[in-house]
Amino acid sequence: MRQVVVALTASLALAAVGCGGDAAERTRGQVPSGSAYTFPPAPAVVDGPLDPEVDSALDRLLPAALVGVLHRGVLQTIADSRDPRLAWLVSGLLRFYQGAGLEEDALVSGFELLTGVDPRDDPLFDSGSWRTVTDYLIAWDLPAPPKYR
């Protein structure tokens, strides 16, 4: 029994460090060594409550998004607010709509309107839109909007 546990542990350890697959597969999405990416400056953030129209749009967008329907017109209302704090909402939605064609495109465009930054310029964007926009928000230490969960 102990030999089985040792063999299983060794197999899991080898899998965790990347045995199997080629080098290109293991390095996909990584910035090539010798290159450096600098995040653009953080957008200016307003303090205070959300615009009532935006708050209402959130109330319409989120329940539908939870069941797989992204109302792009409502998202546009939110993006048009240009309140960068709402980029956290885009990040959250991208976790579920990543790779979803038009919905993902609408969310990435919304992020651009909210922050003034096109995340497609990031060299890691092709490895995942959610990862890229979330990296920006963390690097900027951008506050979340009021009542954000």
Side-chain angles (χ1 to χ4, degrees), residues 92-125:
L93 290 171
L94 274 172
R95 263 193 103 133
F96 302 100
Y97 286 99
Q98 184 166 232
L102 294 175
E103 289 85 0
E104 180 181 29
D105 291 342
L107 288 164
V108 170
S109 294
F111 179 88
E112 185 177 3
L113 275 175
L114 289 165
T115 64
V117 172
D118 187 350
R120 296 170 196 96
D121 295 337
D122 188 300
L124 294 179
F125 182 82

Side-chain angles (χ1 to χ4, degrees), residues 10-103:
S11 296
L12 290 173
L14 287 173
V17 296
C19 274
D22 62 8
E25 181 68 23
R26 288 191 306 270
T27 59
R28 184 183 316 145
Q30 295 180 6
V31 176
S33 62
S35 67
Y37 180 74
T38 303
F39 289 101
V45 177
V46 296
D47 194 21
L50 296 174
D51 179 277
E53 182 182 359
V54 172
D55 210 13
S56 175
L58 289 170
D59 288 341
R60 294 189 314 270
L61 180 76
L62 294 176
L66 288 174
V67 295
V69 178
L70 183 67
H71 292 293
R72 288 189 291 265
V74 178
L75 176 63
Q76 189 65 48
T77 299
I78 293 166
D80 285 343
S81 74
R82 303 253 188 328
D83 185 337
R85 300 174 297 174
L86 292 165
W88 281 106
L89 170 74
V90 170
S91 171
L93 290 171
L94 274 172
R95 263 193 103 133
F96 302 100
Y97 286 99
Q98 184 166 232
L102 294 175
E103 289 85 0

